[in-house]
Amino acid sequence: MNKVASVASVLALVGALFAGAPAAVRASGTTHYVGPNAHASGGSCADPDYTVDGTADNVQVQLAFDAASDGDTVHLCAGTYRFADEVWWNNAGLITVEGDSIAASVVDGQD
């Protein structure tokens, strides 16, 4: 079953996760980092797997979602993410979407 997350849904999900989801709900697999720093080998906010530049950042977030599988985490490093379109979660299972903090990782769905 395909699930679509509109920008509003993503904001609500990210807000709920920042508020602290129960540990049993959180994913425990690979973490896919998305951030504004230069891409190299990935694996941290200092060296993210997917690099954003402030324009249509949903494309890079979508790539992280596409790479994620059940139990994985998509981590939005500190910065403002500008979404020009929806982000889709097309795989079966659950992933965790998290950020550095509610003030540091911002999803902006406006033009």
Side-chain angles (χ1 to χ4, degrees):
M1 173 184 205
N2 289 341
K3 297 178 183 176
V4 62
S6 68
V7 173
S9 297
V10 169
L11 290 172
L13 175 62
V14 171
L17 291 172
F18 282 125
V25 176
R26 292 189 170 270
S28 60
T30 301
T31 299
H32 304 270
Y33 291 90
V34 182
N37 297 319
H39 174 72
S41 59
S44 71
C45 281
D47 188 16
D49 304 295
Y50 305 92
T51 306
V52 296
D53 64 4
T55 60
D57 296 331
N58 58 287
V59 173
Q60 293 298 313
V61 174
Q62 182 66 61
L63 289 173
F65 274 39
D66 291 346
S69 58
D70 187 32
D72 285 358
T73 297
V74 173
H75 183 92
L76 302 178
C77 301
T80 298
Y81 297 83
R82 290 178 172 76
F83 280 31
D85 205 351
E86 298 174 334
V87 175
W88 294 72
W89 169 242
N90 293 317
N91 300 323
L94 298 173
I95 63 169
T96 297
V97 179
E98 65 181 16
D100 285 347
S101 75
I102 197 161
S105 301
V106 178
V107 177
D108 179 358
Q110 299 187 15
D111 298 47

